[in-house]
Amino acid sequence: MRLLNYMKAGKRALGARNGDVIIDLTSAGLPDSVDALLAMGSDGLRKAQTAATKGGETTPFAQATLLPPVLNPSKAIAVGLNYIDHAAESPYKDAPKYPVLFHRFPSSWVAHNQPLIKPRVSDQFDYEAELAVIIGKAGRYISKDKALEHVVGYSLFNDGSIRDYQFKSHQWMIGKNFDATASFGPELVTADELPAGAVGLQIKAKLNGQIMQDANTKDMIFDVPTLVSTCSEIFALQPGDVIISGTPAGVGFARKPQVFMKQGDIIEVEVEKVGVLRNTIKNE
């Protein structure tokens, strides 16, 4: 299934995408968000699958106003330097021995087709194509061999970064959390539609149609089971929590000359079998 949050007649609704249309699951008696559906556990997913199969009221996907596929996760944890080639192009050079984790706030991201806002205080607005891992089953101290049982699905994330602020200190929080500088979506693709752990999928970033990042999820230093297990040592993972799994080489900061996003640019994140996340850039 491909689940998403969208606006319908001025109200939020839960939808299932079927090709070019969105099937309204809320009108079929389900909640009005993916968040609420995930809180229902496996029973909610079964009901969503049944409703999607039956069909119902539809909206053209291309005309819909989408919302992020998860609206208010209890935690959104991003992973830094999780591809060897990206670690090598970074100021840190060496591949990490333990996952580099930091947080992203929901206020820092927008949905598919919504503008990313370049802050007025910086001209170093960078892109990062990433695969987002969405938790569907709560757990603490999850073993690696059980980790994928806790993953409900995957989505796309552009971990937009304000580089000069990111490197003002050893903590990356400020450079990664300016309002509306990242994007998330367009939908949650359930894990059964992808290879186990989303391994072996091509991941790309395109800026104005030019490929800037081109890699494969098999090249992650820490794979999805490792990330889920590691995060669960720190805190209990809850349905709807998001792990943003890291970006490969090719970011604008590391290029010579450097390439940063500016007003009017179009940035796309694409992962094989997951889809395309597209946003324009707008000045604050």
Side-chain angles (χ1 to χ4, degrees):
M1 271 190 302
R2 292 174 175 263
L3 299 168
L4 50 78
N5 297 311
Y6 70 115
M7 298 300 295
K8 182 180 179 183
K11 294 183 179 181
R12 189 175 67 198
L14 168 68
R17 182 179 176 186
N18 182 9
D20 295 333
V21 300
I22 299 170
I23 301 168
D24 184 353
L25 301 184
T26 299
S27 66
L30 286 161
D32 68 351
S33 70
V34 172
D35 305 53
L37 183 73
L38 295 182
M40 296 171 63
S42 57
D43 184 55
L45 292 173
R46 283 194 296 269
K47 290 180 177 179
Q49 181 66 70
T50 299
T53 301
K54 288 181 178 178
E57 299 178 21
T58 63
T59 299
F61 177 80
Q63 297 176 18
T65 298
L66 300 187
L67 303 171
V70 180
L71 300 172
N72 291 296
S74 72
K75 293 173 285 296
I77 304 301
V79 185
L81 309 177
N82 198 27
Y83 288 74
I84 291 175
D85 55 359
H86 177 54
E89 73 177 358
S90 77
Y92 306 97
K93 304 301 181 187
D94 295 330
K97 301 294 192 295
Y98 182 88
V100 177
L101 305 177
F102 58 95
H103 54 275
R104 279 214 79 129
F105 303 127
S107 57
S108 74
W109 65 64
V110 300
H112 176 69
N113 278 339
Q114 299 299 309
L116 295 172
I117 306 302
K118 188 185 87 64
R120 66 181 66 174
V121 295
S122 175
D123 288 320
Q124 294 191 11
F125 188 17
D126 209 348
Y127 52 85
E128 292 192 6
E130 310 209 12
L131 178 74
V133 181
I134 301 172
I135 301 298
K137 177 183 174 183
R140 182 85 193 274
Y141 297 114
I142 301 166
S143 62
K144 289 183 186 179
D145 63 321
K146 299 291 185 182
L148 293 182
E149 297 176 12
H150 294 260
V151 175
V152 67
Y154 300 87
S155 191
L156 306 175
F157 203 92
N158 184 349
D159 188 34
S161 305
I162 311 305
R163 295 301 189 189
D164 46 347
Y165 277 76
Q166 178 183 348
F167 298 122
K168 282 181 181 289
S169 76
H170 295 295
Q171 299 294 331
W172 294 357
M173 187 271 288
I174 56 172
K176 297 286 190 173
N177 281 286
F178 275 70
D179 287 348
T181 52
S183 55
F184 183 19
E187 58 211 345
L188 182 162
V189 179
T190 53
D192 59 342
E193 293 203 9
L194 301 175
V199 172
L201 303 178
Q202 191 172 36
I203 179 170
K204 294 181 180 180
K206 296 179 182 178
L207 183 62
N208 300 322
Q210 180 180 349
I211 296 175
M212 309 299 282
Q213 295 179 281
D214 189 357
N216 193 289
T217 57
K218 68 180 175 60
D219 298 326
M220 288 183 188
I221 298 170
F222 305 104
D223 61 11
V224 171
T226 300
L227 295 176
V228 171
S229 180
T230 300
C231 288
S232 77
E233 292 176 356
I234 305 162
F235 33 58
L237 294 174
Q238 303 295 337
D241 283 353
V242 182
I243 300 174
I244 305 156
S245 64
T247 200
V251 298
F253 178 79
R255 290 177 172 270
K256 295 181 181 179
Q258 293 179 329
V259 176
F260 295 113
M261 297 185 292
K262 60 186 183 303
Q263 178 158 295
D265 284 349
I266 299 173
I267 183 69
E268 296 171 293
V269 171
E270 180 176 356
V271 174
E272 181 184 359
K273 299 183 180 181
V274 181
V276 177
L277 170 64
R278 182 180 299 107
N279 302 90
T280 56
I281 309 303
K282 182 180 178 181
N283 286 341
E284 184 178 15

